[in-house]
Every structure is written in structure tokens, then in C-alpha cells.
């Protein structure tokens, strides 16, 4: 009934990227400020793309988010930590690409074993956790090497590391739970558009 | 709320900066962010500051637009600056309390970081104010073109970007429409505790996604009906032209780089 061709694929990816752009620039829609780091709802969009369109397209949408995060860290940072950590493309882009890959592959793999809704929940949970843990882990790795800290005038490295652990920890858990709850709600009505 | 969007803030004009080729503008803006990290003493920052002011003047756009670009970020910048000021040691120490130290190096670093932020924001605001988003997409396509050697789908990425940018305002209107419709049905946005706030996003996202899928389908059908068969072998309607001004601005940035390297401590 529907032709799944090049034009459709390009336009649906463009729509997802447009949604990501909107979420990035409309306050309260993509980022909910709670302190140092903001809670985000953008990872949900990436997870939805990964579940409905597949891991490859999920990775593209996630990559678009990463690139926007990277550019924003220089030009209009979202939080005080963004100019310190997200100016490094490894921290800003790689975790976001992996959300799409992990959520997409996990969903395809689980779909054969368990029911649809729990499979979506697990995939969304894993996608969100991959994002948080990788950002956390990569910040930890890069903050231990003096190169990054020095470029910004050597803040107290060890202290900042501990602080990051707490802040990202308090963000990662609500974000993951939210993704796990919301992803099935949104994906189920959308699955009829699946390739 | 909606007109806070950064992308839609293009201001039409015929100034020197407006007439620059988007390719050179984009590349030079990235280059500028790169060379700003060369600056490490007050002379270099002064040169960069004067250069940025010159660029802003050449664009014939009121200064207030640039200040407005910095204003929403001012708390963030101050927070980062204070973090630097109080946790950097070195030079004369004026005051200290536990781990918090007010030192000469800290204050100097804080001022430099403030300058760096403001200059980068000014330059990126200049880029978005003087370049229509679709020209930027064209510029990105032109810049990515060399990547075709490694089979990177440049045309597809460029088309995706153009469509995305074109539909940002449309989807934004739709988001607002859905938000108002949901408000009429009793959904509160931006109220309640964290989970209530985040859950309020769901009745916004579902209709938005469904309509995006429908829109993508319509768009794909319309594209095919007009003979779209993939990126290869197409000609272009908007052709970018490299003028003499572009070469001169590159020369300007080269001179700036030389001065920066010369003045560097």
C-alpha cells in the first residue's frame, strides 16, 4: 500500500530532524530545567525513530541531535556544563548515535522473544541508559586527562568529576524511566507506519 | 514563546555581510571559533573584539539584536565564569575560604572566558541573522561535497536538511496548535512536579508524530510525481557564486590570524 522508497525515507527522516530541531529550541518542550543539567525529552524522539524506522535511521536521527548539541555548546549552551563537556564531539555525538543503534537493535532482537510492549520498554530503557552512561563515562574519562580541563583554564578536576556523577545520576534515572513509560505509548499507535 | 527560535531570525538586507557567499560565511564562522582559542592575553582579545565589532558594523544590523542573543544565556555564562574564578589557583591570592579561592589567574581567566563566550555568540548570531536557513543548507552541501569520495550520501543529507529546515516553522505552528487544543481539553504544560511536566509532553508528541508521518508520505508522493529519482544527476536552481568580497573576507581572516599569532603570549 505504501511505497517505502528513497523519497519517503528522506522525508520522514527530515521530519524527525525537524522535530529534534524544534525540541532543541522551544523551551519546556525538549529540555526541562531542574538545575545544573536539564532533563531532556529529546532522547524519546530518537528512541521512537529507532523503534519505528530501525536502528540505522535511529542512529541518523540521534546523530543529528548530537551535531546540534555540539554546535550549541559553542554558540548557545543549554546548561553551564555544556560548554565544558559537549564541545568535545566524542562526548556530544557518539552517545546520541548509540541510543538509536542500541534501542533499534534491541527492539528487533527482543521482538522475536517477548511481546511488543515489553520489548519497547526494554529497548527504550536501554537506549536512555546508554545515552546517560556513555555521556557520564566519557566526561569522566576526558576530565581525568588534563588536556580538556586545561583548554578551559583548569577548573578543579576531581571535584567537578564527583559533582557530575551525582547530577548525571539524578538525571539519568528519571530520563530512563520516562523513556520506558512513554516510548510504548507513542510507538504503538505509530507502528502501522513501520517499514 | 515560539519566536525565541534561533533559526527563524534571518533579517533580510543588502549589506556587505549579507552579500557574502553562504559557503564562505559558514566556513569563516567555524574558522573564527577555531582561532578564538588562539587568544591568550588581553591584546589578542582586544584585536578579536575590534574585529567582531567591525563585522557587526559591516552587517548594518542593530547592535541590540546581538545583545538580545546574549541575554538569555547571561546567567549561564556568569555561572561558568564564576566556576572558573573561584576554582583556579595561581598568581596573587586575594582571598580564600576552604576550596574557594579568589586569585589573580582566576579573575583573568574568568574575564577571558566571558569574552570568548560573547564573541562566539556575536559571530554565530551574525551568521544566522544574515543568512537564510536554506542558503546554509546549500552551503553545507557544497562543503560536504568532497566526502562523496568515501561514498557519503551528500545529496541525501543536503536534501534531508533542506526539508527539515523548511518544515521547522510548519511543525512549530502545528505544535502550538496541538498544545492549544490539548490545553482546551485540560492538559497543563509546564506545571506540576517533574513527572507531571514530562508526562504533559506525551499528548503533544503523539499527534505531532502521526502528522509528521502523514506529511512525509504526502511529501514523498508529491516528490515522486514531480520526477524525483534520487540525488544523482540533478541540476541546481540556486547556484552559489563566489564573489570578490568572499576572497577579501578570507584575506581579512588571514590577516587576523597572523596578528593573533604575532601578539600571542
Amino acid at each position: 500500500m505504501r511505497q517505502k522508497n528513497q523519497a519517503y525515507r528522506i522525508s520522514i527522516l527530515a521530519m524527525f530532524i525537524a522535530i529534534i530541531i524544534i525540541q532543541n529550541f522551544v523551551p519546556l518542550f525538549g529540555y526541562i530545567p531542574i538545575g545544573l543539567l536539564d532533563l531532556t525529552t529529546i532522547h524519546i524522539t530518537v528512541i521512537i525513530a529507532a523503534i519505528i524506522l530501525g536502528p540505522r535511521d535511529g542512529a541518523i536521527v540521534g546523530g543529528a541531535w548530537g551535531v546540534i548539541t555540539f554546535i550549541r555548546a559553542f554558540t548557545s549552551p543549554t546548561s553551564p556544563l555544556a560548554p565544558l563537556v559537549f564541545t568535545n564531539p566524542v562526548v556530544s555525538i557518539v552517545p546520541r548515535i548509540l541510543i538509536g543503534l542500541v534501542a533499534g537493535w534491541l527492539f528487533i532482537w527482543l521482538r522475536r522473544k517477548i511481546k511488543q510492549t515489553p520489548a519497547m520498554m526494554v529497548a527504550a530503557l536501554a537506549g536512555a541508559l546508554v545515552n546517560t552512561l556513555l555521556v557520564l563515562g566519557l566526561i569522566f574519562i576526558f576530565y581525568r586527562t588534563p588536556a580538556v580541563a586545561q583548554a578551559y583554564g583548569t577548573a578543579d578536576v576531581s571535584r567537578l568529576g564527583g559533582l557530575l556523577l551525582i547530577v548525571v545520576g539524578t538525571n539519568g534515572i528519571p530520563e530512563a524511566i520516562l523513556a520506558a513509560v512513554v516510548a510504548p505509548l507513542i510507538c504503538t499507535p505509530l507502528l502501522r507506519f513501520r517499514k | 514563546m515560539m519566536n525565541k527560535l534561533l533559526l527563524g531570525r534571518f533579517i533580510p538586507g543588502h549589506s556587505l555581510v549579507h552579500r557574502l557567499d553562504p559557503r564562505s560565511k559558514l566556513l569563516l564562522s567555524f574558522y573564527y571559533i577555531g582561532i578564538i582559542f588562539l587568544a591568550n592575553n588581553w591584546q589578542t582579545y582586544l584585536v578579536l573584539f575590534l574585529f567582531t565589532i567591525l563585522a557587526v558594523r559591516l552587517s548594518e544590523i542593530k547592535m541590540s539584536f546581538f545583545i538580545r542573543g546574549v541575554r538569555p544565556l547571561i546567567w549561564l555564562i556568569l555561572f561558568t565564569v564564576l566556576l572558573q574564578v573561584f576554582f583556579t589557583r595561581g598568581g596573587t591570592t586575594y582571598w580564600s575560604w576552604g576550596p574557594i579561592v579568589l586569585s589573580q589567574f582566576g579573575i583573568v581567566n574568568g574575564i577571558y572566558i566571558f569574552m570568548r563566550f560573547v564573541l562566539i555568540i556575536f559571530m554565530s548570531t551574525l551568521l544566522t541573522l544574515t543568512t537564510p536557513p536554506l542558503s546554509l543548507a546549500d552551503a553545507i552541501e557544497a562543503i560536504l561535497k568532497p566526502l562523496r569520495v568515501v561514498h557519503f550520501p551528500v545529496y541525501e543529507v543536503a536534501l534531508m536538511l533542506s526539508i527539515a529546515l523548511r518544515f521547522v516553522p510548519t511543525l512549530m505552528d502545528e505544535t502550538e496548535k496541538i498544545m492549544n487544543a490539548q490545553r482546551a481539553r485540560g492538559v497543563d504544560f509546564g506545571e506540576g512536579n517533574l513527572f507531571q511536566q514530562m508526562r504533559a509532553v506525551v499528548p503533544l508528541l503523539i499527534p505531532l508524530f502521526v502528522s509528521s508521518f502523514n506529511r512525509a508520505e504526502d511529501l514523498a508522493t508529491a516528490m515522486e510525481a514531480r520526477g524525483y529519482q534520487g540525488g544523482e544527476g540533478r541540476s541546481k536552481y540556486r547556484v552559489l557564486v563566489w564573489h570578490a568580497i568572499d576572497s577579501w573576507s578570507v584575506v581579512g581572516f588571514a590577516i587576523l590570524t597572523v596578528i593573533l599569532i604575532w601578539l600571542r603570549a
Side-chain angles (χ1 to χ4, degrees):
Chain A
M1 153 187 153
R2 275 178 204 94
Q3 315 118 308
K4 303 300 178 204
N5 46 26
Q6 185 78 13
Y8 178 73
R9 187 162 168 259
I10 286 177
S11 28
I12 191 62
L13 281 175
M15 295 299 159
F16 268 97
I17 292 169
I19 291 174
I20 297 240
I21 293 175
I22 294 173
Q23 282 186 309
N24 258 294
F25 291 105
V26 176
L28 287 180
F29 188 18
Y31 288 100
I32 297 167
I34 52 154
L36 265 186
L37 275 182
D38 296 341
L39 276 185
T40 176
T41 55
I42 300 179
H43 63 298
I44 297 176
T45 310
V46 179
I47 289 167
I48 290 167
I51 289 178
I52 297 167
L53 305 174
R56 221 183 109 199
D57 293 354
I60 293 173
V61 175
W65 179 25
V67 171
I68 294 173
T69 315
F70 177 59
I71 294 173
R72 282 202 76 180
F74 286 102
T75 57
S76 56
T78 43
S79 75
L81 284 170
L84 296 173
V85 295
F86 288 137
T87 43
N88 182 338
V90 177
V91 181
S92 54
I93 300 178
V94 173
R96 273 78 204 263
I97 290 178
L98 282 173
I99 305 175
L101 287 182
V102 168
W105 273 326
L106 204 61
F107 178 69
I108 291 173
W109 183 72
L110 283 172
R111 188 66 198 85
R112 297 196 211 108
K113 304 195 184 314
I114 51 178
K115 279 198 180 129
Q116 194 167 280
T117 311
M120 280 174 186
M121 288 179 92
V122 174
L125 199 69
L129 284 178
V130 158
N131 177 36
T132 317
L133 292 181
L134 267 183
V135 171
L136 171 79
L138 287 171
I139 289 172
F140 199 63
I141 290 166
F142 282 102
Y143 266 81
R144 293 192 131 186
T145 62
V148 174
Q150 226 156 45
Y152 298 97
T154 47
D156 200 333
V157 178
S158 57
R159 218 169 290 282
L160 211 61
L163 191 70
L164 281 175
L165 261 169
I166 300 167
V167 172
V168 182
T170 53
N171 276 23
I173 293 159
E175 276 176 15
I177 294 172
L178 185 85
V181 174
V182 167
L185 286 178
I186 299 180
C187 286
T188 313
L190 290 179
L191 263 191
R192 64 193 164 94
F193 294 105
R194 226 189 127 121
K195 279 188 244 189
Chain B
M1 158 186 161
M2 293 295 177
N3 46 30
K4 272 188 182 165
L5 184 72
L6 217 84
L7 277 162
R9 280 194 312 184
F10 165 64
I11 297 172
H14 286 286
S15 70
L16 269 179
V17 183
H18 278 92
R19 277 182 279 136
L20 275 181
D21 188 294
R23 284 173 296 183
S24 62
K25 253 191 283 191
L26 188 66
L27 280 180
L28 289 177
S29 305
F30 279 126
Y31 182 69
Y32 182 82
I33 292 175
I35 58 172
I36 224 167
F37 288 92
L38 279 178
N40 58 1
N41 55 10
W42 67 268
Q43 291 99 327
T44 43
Y45 273 104
L46 185 70
V47 170
L48 279 172
F49 181 74
L50 291 177
F51 186 85
T52 313
I53 294 297
L54 177 74
V56 167
R57 290 245 63 95
L58 284 177
S59 73
E60 292 166 18
I61 291 171
K62 273 193 233 124
M63 200 61 194
S64 59
F65 280 101
F66 294 88
I67 311 270
R68 224 182 289 164
V70 177
R71 214 163 40 194
L73 299 169
I74 195 75
W75 291 113
L76 228 138
I77 297 172
L78 286 181
F79 184 87
T80 316
V81 167
L82 287 179
L83 213 72
Q84 290 294 326
V85 168
F86 288 121
F87 289 103
T88 311
R89 285 147 205 277
T92 326
T93 305
Y94 300 117
W95 178 74
S96 75
W97 182 72
I100 298 173
V101 177
L102 192 66
S103 71
Q104 194 189 352
F105 279 23
I107 292 172
V108 170
N109 255 328
I111 294 170
Y112 286 172
I113 281 173
F114 182 79
M115 285 290 286
R116 196 183 291 165
F117 262 124
V118 171
L119 292 180
I120 289 178
I121 292 170
F122 269 33
M123 222 25 151
S124 59
T125 314
L126 185 68
L127 176 71
T128 51
L129 284 181
T130 58
T131 322
L134 283 180
S135 299
L136 275 182
D138 282 346
I140 291 171
E141 179 182 358
I143 290 166
L144 288 180
K145 217 163 246 174
L147 285 179
R148 276 172 65 200
V149 183
V150 288
H151 296 288
F152 183 79
V154 174
Y155 293 118
E156 282 76 11
V157 168
L159 182 62
M160 226 180 268
L161 203 64
S162 310
I163 297 177
L165 288 173
R166 160 65 187 79
F167 277 95
V168 163
T170 314
L171 286 181
M172 193 93 107
D173 286 347
E174 200 158 296
T175 310
E176 201 162 21
K177 216 180 275 175
I178 298 168
M179 265 178 123
N180 286 336
Q182 297 289 14
R183 277 202 190 100
R185 305 182 67 204
V187 177
D188 293 323
F189 292 105
E191 274 174 36
N193 64 31
L194 211 63
F195 265 96
Q196 286 168 332
Q197 271 193 42
M198 293 179 98
R199 229 184 21 218
V201 178
V202 176
L204 191 55
L205 283 180
I206 296 179
L208 191 62
F209 280 119
V210 171
S211 85
S212 303
F213 272 95
N214 290 331
R215 212 181 277 277
E217 222 162 90
D218 292 349
L219 184 65
T221 312
M223 276 164 77
E224 299 227 302
R226 286 167 173 76
Y228 176 81
Q229 291 169 327
E232 293 305 318
R234 299 182 68 204
S235 57
K236 286 178 76 70
Y237 174 60
R238 287 167 301 184
V239 182
L240 302 174
V241 193
W242 188 273
H243 295 286
I245 326 170
D246 297 299
S247 309
W248 282 115
S249 52
V250 170
V251 170
F253 273 82
I255 293 172
L256 176 71
T257 317
V258 171
I259 294 175
L260 279 183
I261 292 172
W262 181 57
L263 284 178
R264 241 168 93 89

